[in-house]
Amino acid sequence: MNAPNVSGMLMLILPEVVLSVGAMITLLLGVSGADAGRSHRAAMAALATAVVGVVLAIGMLTGAPLAPGTTFIANDGFRWTLTALLCAGTGAAVVLTEAYDRRAGVARAETPALLLLAATGMTLLTAARDLMVVFLGIELMSLATYVLVAMHRTSARAAEAAVKYFLLGAFSTAFLLYGIALVYGATGSMQLEGIGSAVASGAKLPGLLMAGVALMLVGLAFKVAAAPFHLWTPDVYDGAPTAVTGFMAASVKAAAFAIFLRITAEAFAPLLADWHPVLWVLAAATMVIGNVLALGQQQIKRVLAYSSIAHAGYLLVAVVSFSAEGATALVFYLVAYTLATMGAFAVLVALSDGTDRPLVRQDLAGLRERHPWLALAFAVCVLSMLGFPLAGGVGFFAKWQVLQAALQASVPQQTLAIVLVLSSVVSGGYYLGLIAPAFMQSPVPAARPIPAPPTGVRAIAIACAVVVLVLGVLPSSLTRLAQRSAPSAFAGGPTVATTIQP
Amino acid sequence: MIADSTTTVQQNALLAALIGLPALGAVANGALAVQTARTRTHAPDAPAPVGLASMLGVGSIAAAFIVAVLLFVQLTSGAGAVTAHFGDWLVFPTEAGRTPLIAWDFTFDRLSSVLALVITGVGTLIHVFSVGYMNDDPGFARYFAYLNLFVAFMLVLVLGASYPVLFIGWEGVGLCSYLLIGFWFGESANADAGRKAFVVNRIGDMGLIAAMCILFTQTGHLDFAGAHAGLSGMSTGLITAIGLALLLGCAGKSAQVPLYLWLPDAMAGPTPVSALIHAATMVTAGVYLVVRASPIFAASPTASLAVALIGAITALFAASIALRQWDIKKVLAYSTVSQLGYMFMGVGVGAYTAGVFHLVTHAFFKALLFLGAGAVIHAMHAAYHHAHEHGDAQDLRNMGGLRAAMPATGALMWIATLAIVGIPPLAGFFSKDEILVSVFARAMGSPLASASLMGLSGQVVLFVVLGFGTITALLTAIYMTRLALLAFEGPGRSSTSVQQGVHDAHGTLLWPLVALGILTVAGGWLNLPALIPIGPVGVLEHWLEPIVGETTRRLAPIAALPHEQELWITGGAVINAIFGIGIALWLWRRWAPVDAHHATPGTGFGGLLERAYDVDAAVQRGLVGPVLAFAKRVLWGTVDRGVDGALTGGGGGLARAAQWVSAQVQVGDASRYVWVVALGVLGTLAALAWRS
């Protein structure tokens, strides 16, 4: 692979350039001009930047055939599809955070700027093929997110969440970094491709390599909130401003899974037989723990936090399946999950009263009467997370794809499929428990009057629900897109997968 | 499908519009209904948005009708069937790669074109009628949302090119039926009727699902063409099993014995709903399915005989109940069940064209009868309201002499009555006659006659069917004449002030009736028999030839029926009908009118008929009671509460355990989390170290 010239190089990281420049413009807009509309102008600039990111990614997907990337930046369908998804998620998060912050009286330009910086890290993660780039992406994303959690400086709950997130995040990053160092020591390469070929030809220091792989897996498992590395999730999701929680649950998780899949596919494929049992256990434990513990929660954000842990478990099943189908299922699932999560959190943002009081089920009571369309959108999005057919739209097919991938892996993963289905049944217990008060209880007078939800928030909730429903009727278009987006490592078929133990 | 290459973008768009327009109407009216409901939360007396809702409701269906006509014209000009592919739904991986289990394929072929025209055409008329009928109902927009949605799903049902897509329409119309039967859910009887329809239909749906499962496992296809092509390698026993499973499904949807119980109760819905859903379109879906699946039934004479026999039993059974009903809509409901039985007789003996023909003419005259009854009920209701009296506006005993006050409605109702009775040259005569002639011809010698059903020879079964059909025709003449006599003739039986308050239908309540009246008179020309060549002969038969011609011939009589024999049957049928009218005139000429308030329940056989053979009570005692008891004691008391207690229920088992675990682990103390993470790291390291 020839090293491209400078302009070609810049073209390869164009979305990251656009997003980071957009972040700086956003910051500048936040300190210039009249005081009155500053934060709003900044948010609009950030939204525009995110939209440009989406357009750019879609343009790359639909335009001329993609040129081969370099050994450290990928230029494939996987990258561009997820970049489009992450930029769209960021755009939605900009709108939601602005509405939420405005209601709390703390709207400022730093929030959209930080969202864009996080997005820069996230999009970098979809493309990274070099462990340095991986680390750069993860830290850029994480640092921005730590600050986003703490943006409501007067809220003790948010501050607590941010400190916890930061401490545990730093702790896990240490593992990741140490793992990277060990892998480099064992293989002599930082590039996923190089690691892969070094491993395939037999590493000289197998113990070192294994330790490195183990520590990297821990670091990644922490980022995607897989059990038992999930403990930070409920506390952080609960304490963070609701709109930021939505961003973390949807986009941050999607970006972490993007790099998780690429590393396992491109670098660790020859070691599949070794790490497969570890991820198998993590997937099963994550599904069960997420779904069962969600049952005991009273606060909506904690329920959704455990729900997001459970979804991480489902997504791990797709990773464990380790095939083109698994990668297809992962991309499909991330799209469906982002839509449903953003839609549901948009409704929660619409319902928040501007304080950091935790939302409980009672806050949803009578939503059908107060905001019928939002209630419907909420029901659709939650049913989509449940994987309910038709009314839950695309969520059903997301689970279907993961199940198919699991059952069609070169060694079929029946046990994981069974755990997935049974734990999904349990999830009905808390998902329906969220919908029921919205439709079957009368509204309770709020302690503080809740202003009418802004148009942008309503639009996001309803648009997400509509897309969920439409894709639920016509999933084939998304399936085709997801098929085109499987990383090229799977193109030759899962030759190594024959060594998997069921 | 062969026609794929010839289907143009424009045709694709038309097909999408055909289903999409009613669906859009439903969404728009649904939005309007939600908006009205919101307005009413602070202004309880806010009027329903009648103008906009009726414009959207009627407009979308009328536009769909125009689209259907456009597609139909293209079809008549020699173009092939329009088949459109709107993407895949469930993609099932098989050995041959990823093949779609369910594809959004729709086809506008010769069979579905007939159905689509009836659905949108009669549908438009009934929508127009509804504007007048539901005018002062507060749920006006909601009503039209449901009705439009019904049409959309009905079109999915008849246009779907595979069993699963048909099934989606099938369930969709069932949903709309449920919503509309229970439209006035304020009264629990109406809501109960809706629920009953839903539950009884589930039994039938199990049959349809079973049929699809067998087809898919055996042929690997569920689209009509692929699945039917795969039949050739199957054993006859298996095909019969599929046919019988389909029959169960059709019996549920088309209210055949023993699953007819829901249809009489379904009259709880607004009368135009009864006309559209429970007479003209949805309940004929079972007939359509048998015709669509004719390759299956033609390959299994046993299953075909079962269809015919079920139809004959239903026809006779329901007709006898109709003899002694007092509610005008109940008479028509049982009459519908009986006429559906007639259609099943037709398609059961492999006379698919005759079945479709009767389906179409029945849609015309039964819609007219129901809308006429609706006009009568509307007028009676208004009169009672005007006179400040309370009375049952649907009870025939409260009517009488209405023709004087409602001449137009009366005349149209008489035409429809004569049509269903089978008086030439009205539509019902031709279609009913064709069914009887077909049954007779096959009984004289055909693959059906030489097959057997449960040990009975096919010939015996066919003669039984013929006999039942003939008696049913006689009973039909009696109960329909009785209805017309009791409602429109003789002296008025309500109070004078009520009688003076009755006014004839006008405007949107009248002209749909006129249009249906014309169709009722002219409908027979669709498929004239060779015996009575008063116009082009067998138009419908030629039209459907590419779809059902081959399958019809597989069960067709060995020898054509001699003309004189056919003449005897036709003549006999007419005499039979006239005889029935005579009996009715003779019976009710000297009938001593009784006030509905003071009427005593009938005794003896008449009473049994009045109570519809007590089937409902028996089902309640023998089936519903035990099932409910089982559900309550075992399923709810033990299983459900056990699971519920274990899973959720606030303090219940699993939830409590989950809370406990959370309380132990999720303490909010980051330093403790670090220990858990460290343990996880050690575990991961150990696992990989052990592997290497």
Side-chain angles (χ1 to χ4, degrees), chain B residues 136-489:
Chain B
D136 42 12
D137 196 284
F140 194 83
R142 183 166 61 93
Y143 172 84
F144 272 97
Y146 293 163
L147 213 58
N148 286 1
L149 188 65
F150 167 78
V151 174
F153 273 124
M154 194 67 209
L155 288 167
V156 170
L157 197 165
V158 299
L159 295 172
S162 66
Y163 284 97
V165 177
L166 175 142
F167 187 66
I168 288 164
W170 188 273
E171 290 303 307
V173 292
L175 167 72
C176 298
S177 162
Y178 160 80
L179 290 170
L180 284 162
I181 294 170
F183 182 74
W184 292 308
F185 52 78
E187 267 180 57
S188 70
N190 299 345
D192 286 346
R195 231 169 309 169
K196 185 172 173 181
F198 214 82
V199 171
V200 175
N201 264 296
R202 291 288 78 65
I203 301 170
D205 294 342
M206 279 310 298
L208 190 44
I209 292 171
M212 287 196 283
C213 290
I214 306 177
L215 271 176
F216 187 68
T217 50
Q218 295 295 316
T219 69
H221 291 279
L222 278 176
D223 60 298
F224 293 131
H228 294 160
L231 289 172
S232 51
M234 250 192 262
S235 72
T236 317
L238 211 50
I239 298 179
T240 304
I242 298 172
L244 292 179
L246 282 179
L247 172 60
L248 181 64
C250 297
K253 190 63 72 191
S254 291
Q256 298 295 292
V257 170
L259 300 180
Y260 71 98
L261 286 166
W262 65 273
L263 186 56
D265 286 31
M267 296 300 125
T271 308
V273 170
S274 313
L276 180 62
I277 302 183
H278 305 119
T281 53
M282 182 188 83
V283 288
T284 61
V287 182
Y288 165 77
L289 179 54
V290 175
V291 177
R292 186 54 89 185
S294 65
I296 294 173
F297 287 97
S300 167
T302 312
S304 285
L305 284 174
V307 173
L309 190 63
I310 289 286
I313 293 170
T314 308
L316 183 61
F317 185 76
S320 66
I321 297 173
L323 288 173
R324 288 298 292 265
Q325 296 301 309
W326 292 114
D327 185 318
I328 187 169
K329 285 183 72 180
K330 280 277 163 70
V331 178
L332 293 176
Y334 281 108
S335 159
T336 304
V337 176
S338 170
Q339 293 299 311
L340 288 167
Y342 246 95
M343 294 173 214
F344 270 61
M345 283 161 54
V347 295
V349 300
Y352 301 111
T353 310
V356 174
F357 186 28
H358 198 55
L359 185 162
V360 174
T361 59
H362 178 260
F364 296 155
F365 59 69
K366 190 51 72 60
L368 176 52
L369 283 169
F370 264 115
L371 293 190
V376 167
I377 294 166
H378 195 75
M380 289 288 290
H381 197 78
Y384 274 121
H385 189 72
H386 190 72
H388 303 292
E389 279 185 38
H390 290 285
D392 188 346
Q394 303 190 183
D395 198 308
L396 286 166
R397 287 170 292 205
N398 292 338
M399 300 177 187
L402 287 179
R403 193 154 57 91
M406 312 180 70
T409 311
L412 286 162
M413 283 288 273
W414 265 112
I415 291 175
T417 302
L418 295 179
I420 187 174
V421 166
I423 298 297
L426 300 173
F429 160 73
F430 292 103
S431 54
K432 204 187 267 191
D433 182 54
E434 197 179 326
I435 290 176
L436 286 177
V437 170
S438 306
V439 176
F440 181 71
R442 282 157 180 81
M444 297 304 284
S446 68
L448 282 176
S450 26
S452 67
L453 175 67
M454 293 182 300
L456 283 174
S457 104
Q459 193 154 32
V460 174
V461 173
L462 287 177
F463 274 116
V464 168
V465 169
L466 184 66
F468 279 18
T470 312
I471 304 171
T472 303
L474 181 72
L475 297 182
T476 308
I478 299 175
Y479 71 71
M480 283 312 301
T481 313
R482 166 180 176 266
L483 181 148
L485 286 176
L486 288 180
F488 294 104
E489 308 303 325

Side-chain angles (χ1 to χ4, degrees), chain B residues 590-610:
Chain B
R590 282 177 304 172
W591 175 66
V594 273
D595 188 356
H597 284 298
H598 306 107
T600 48
T603 52
F605 188 61
L608 196 62
L609 289 183
E610 219 167 274

Side-chain angles (χ1 to χ4, degrees), chain A residues 196-380:
Chain A
S197 50
V199 170
S201 59
K204 293 177 189 70
L205 297 161
L208 204 59
L209 178 65
M210 281 304 160
V213 171
L215 294 180
M216 279 183 70
L217 288 181
V218 167
L220 291 171
F222 178 89
K223 290 295 168 198
V224 302
F229 311 105
H230 69 285
L231 288 165
W232 58 277
T233 318
D235 291 1
V236 174
Y237 279 21
D238 187 25
T242 305
V244 173
T245 311
F247 178 66
M248 288 162 71
S251 300
V252 173
K253 187 169 293 231
F257 264 107
I259 193 59
F260 205 143
L261 184 77
R262 197 186 285 279
I263 288 180
T264 52
E266 295 191 1
F268 296 162
L271 295 174
L272 178 61
D274 297 302
W275 56 258
H276 183 267
V278 174
L279 282 197
W280 193 101
V281 172
L282 285 189
T286 309
M287 287 189 282
V288 172
I289 288 178
N291 279 320
V292 171
L293 291 192
L295 282 178
Q297 304 305 317
Q298 298 306 316
Q299 300 169 16
I300 300 171
K301 269 156 76 183
R302 288 189 94 88
V303 171
L304 289 178
Y306 280 107
S307 141
S308 87
I309 294 170
H311 284 286
Y314 306 146
L315 285 158
L316 277 176
V317 174
V319 176
V320 170
S321 300
F322 204 72
S323 60
E325 278 80 29
T328 305
L330 185 104
V331 174
F332 193 104
Y333 203 105
L334 286 177
V335 174
Y337 171 71
T338 302
L339 283 167
T341 307
M342 275 300 173
F345 272 97
V347 175
L348 294 188
V349 167
L351 291 182
S352 56
D353 58 5
T355 66
D356 65 350
R357 180 180 68 83
L359 286 170
V360 290
R361 292 216 174 92
Q362 208 59 36
D363 289 301
L364 289 168
L367 185 61
R368 185 186 68 85
E369 283 170 49
R370 286 182 284 154
H371 302 294
W373 295 112
L374 287 184
L376 268 181
F378 187 70
V380 167

Side-chain angles (χ1 to χ4, degrees), chain A residues 164 171 210 214 218 231 235 273-274 292 295-298 302 306 370 372 397 400 404 408 472-476 483, chain B residues 38 86 88-91 93 98 104 647 658-659 662 665-666 668 673-674 676-677 680-681 685 687-688 691-692:
Chain A
K164 260 184 211 166
F171 189 50
M210 281 304 160
V218 167
L231 288 165
D235 291 1
D274 297 302
V292 171
L295 282 178
Q297 304 305 317
Q298 298 306 316
R302 288 189 94 88
Y306 280 107
R370 286 182 284 154
F397 287 100
W400 161 276
Q404 288 298 335
Q408 279 177 82
V473 178
L474 294 170
S476 48
Q483 274 165 347
Chain B
R38 291 188 72 183
F86 297 114
D88 295 328
W89 198 54
L90 272 188
V91 179
R98 299 172 77 88
W104 289 119
L647 279 181
Q659 272 170 353
S662 299
V665 181
Q666 205 73 40
Y673 296 172
V674 169
V676 179
V677 173
V681 173
L685 278 169
L688 282 175
R691 286 288 311 179
S692 62

Side-chain angles (χ1 to χ4, degrees), chain A residues 109-131:
Chain A
E110 283 88 337
T111 308
L114 282 166
L115 283 170
L116 288 183
L117 286 174
T120 312
M122 296 190 303
T123 54
L124 204 54
L125 279 180
T126 65
R129 297 186 69 199
D130 181 294
L131 290 179

